[in-house]
Amino acid sequence: MHLVKRKNNNIFGLKMKRVILIFALLLFGVSGSIAQQEEKIIKGFSGGMMIHSGYQFGCDNPFGYDMRGATFGIGGVARLHLSDHFRTGFEGYVSTLGLREDIAKGSHNKIFWTGLLADWYWQRGAFYPYVGLTVGGGMETAYLMFEGSGSDWRPESKAVFKKEGFVAVDPFVGCDMALSDAVRVTLKMDWLLAMRKSGLNSPTGPRLYIGFIFAH
């Protein structure tokens, strides 16, 4: 009886080893297949931070005030490279236009927007020119103070505040310059179209971006 049991145990152990071996081979094969698929789908990724400046102009407020001047801001981008020429991802920025002409110091118009992007790029030696579009949403915050100062704690009787969301459509064009295999300097220009129910939001105008991009 003991000999039979030992034989059965050996057979059972051998079967278990075969099952484990087959399972390991299947798992290895599936993992390799997934890795190959990922390698085919995702060619690489890139992302980084950028600062920007631009000239904004236009009026859509009931006071007839033309918000005009230089805007400054910061933001970032992250992209997946799905082919040798196509990338997609997301980006987001905040841009502030300080208003100091004809109204009190402290007035400003601030815009935040973010969205999904898609761009098409080429390689010309160390340069990577690209053109693309970002679609998403944002928020405009406008504060106009017609008298007083924004540097004190006194209440201001002649000031207005408005905050409103919008749909963001942002075409852009730019170029990366490779400093190494992993680090690039990028230069980009865009023109944000902030659309609301009442129409195209103002102020609007071009922005120029510069920053560092890390690629893999």
Side-chain angles (χ1 to χ4, degrees), residues 46-52 75-79 87 91 93 117 119 121 126-131 172-179 182-189 207-215:
S46 60
M49 299 292 293
M50 286 177 270
I51 58 174
H52 66 261
V77 61
R79 299 171 298 209
R87 302 179 297 194
E91 62 179 354
Y93 304 93
L117 70 86
D119 68 18
Y121 71 100
F127 296 92
Y128 296 79
Y130 58 87
V131 60
F172 58 84
V173 61
C175 184
D176 295 344
M177 183 181 70
L179 301 180
V183 181
R184 302 173 185 175
V185 174
T186 189
L187 190 67
K188 184 181 84 166
M189 179 173 285
R207 291 179 176 86
L208 182 65
Y209 300 72
I210 187 170
F212 286 97
I213 299 295
F214 300 93

Side-chain angles (χ1 to χ4, degrees), residues 91-214:
E91 62 179 354
Y93 304 93
V94 60
S95 188
T96 303
L97 168 61
L99 304 172
R100 293 183 175 87
E101 296 181 2
D102 302 327
I103 57 177
K105 183 177 180 180
S107 301
H108 62 268
N109 188 81
K110 181 182 293 185
I111 292 180
F112 163 77
W113 74 99
T114 185
L116 298 175
L117 70 86
D119 68 18
W120 191 263
Y121 71 100
W122 302 264
Q123 183 179 1
R124 296 292 182 270
F127 296 92
Y128 296 79
Y130 58 87
V131 60
L133 180 71
T134 297
V135 177
M139 184 71 66
E140 178 196 27
T141 303
Y143 179 65
L144 302 179
M145 186 165 47
F146 298 99
E147 288 183 3
S149 173
S151 59
D152 57 37
W153 287 96
R154 296 179 181 179
E156 307 294 348
S157 58
K158 294 186 177 181
V160 293
F161 175 82
K162 180 190 176 187
K163 194 171 186 179
E164 185 175 0
F166 58 82
V167 175
V169 178
D170 188 25
F172 58 84
V173 61
C175 184
D176 295 344
M177 183 181 70
L179 301 180
S180 67
D181 292 339
V183 181
R184 302 173 185 175
V185 174
T186 189
L187 190 67
K188 184 181 84 166
M189 179 173 285
D190 75 342
W191 193 303
L192 175 65
L193 304 175
M195 296 181 290
R196 306 177 306 194
K197 291 182 179 179
S198 57
L200 188 63
N201 181 66
S202 290
T204 186
R207 291 179 176 86
L208 182 65
Y209 300 72
I210 187 170
F212 286 97
I213 299 295
F214 300 93

Side-chain angles (χ1 to χ4, degrees), residues 2-18:
H2 293 290
L3 294 176
V4 174
K5 286 183 180 180
R6 187 177 296 118
K7 183 177 181 181
N8 290 338
N9 288 337
N10 291 337
I11 294 174
F12 179 76
L14 182 60
K15 289 182 177 180
M16 284 300 299
K17 290 180 180 179
R18 289 178 178 176

Side-chain angles (χ1 to χ4, degrees), residues 25-97:
L25 292 174
L26 289 175
L27 184 62
F28 179 78
V30 171
S31 300
S33 177
I34 293 175
Q36 290 178 358
Q37 292 297 323
E38 288 182 349
E39 185 177 355
K40 291 179 181 179
I41 295 173
I42 301 175
K43 299 292 185 179
F45 58 88
S46 60
M49 299 292 293
M50 286 177 270
I51 58 174
H52 66 261
S53 181
Y55 186 74
Q56 303 290 287
F57 57 91
C59 171
D60 61 2
N61 57 76
F63 310 102
Y65 180 73
D66 186 7
M67 300 184 187
R68 183 178 297 268
T71 186
F72 301 93
I74 192 171
V77 61
R79 299 171 298 209
L80 293 176
H81 303 201
L82 301 184
S83 75
D84 293 333
H85 299 286
F86 179 73
R87 302 179 297 194
T88 186
F90 63 92
E91 62 179 354
Y93 304 93
V94 60
S95 188
T96 303
L97 168 61

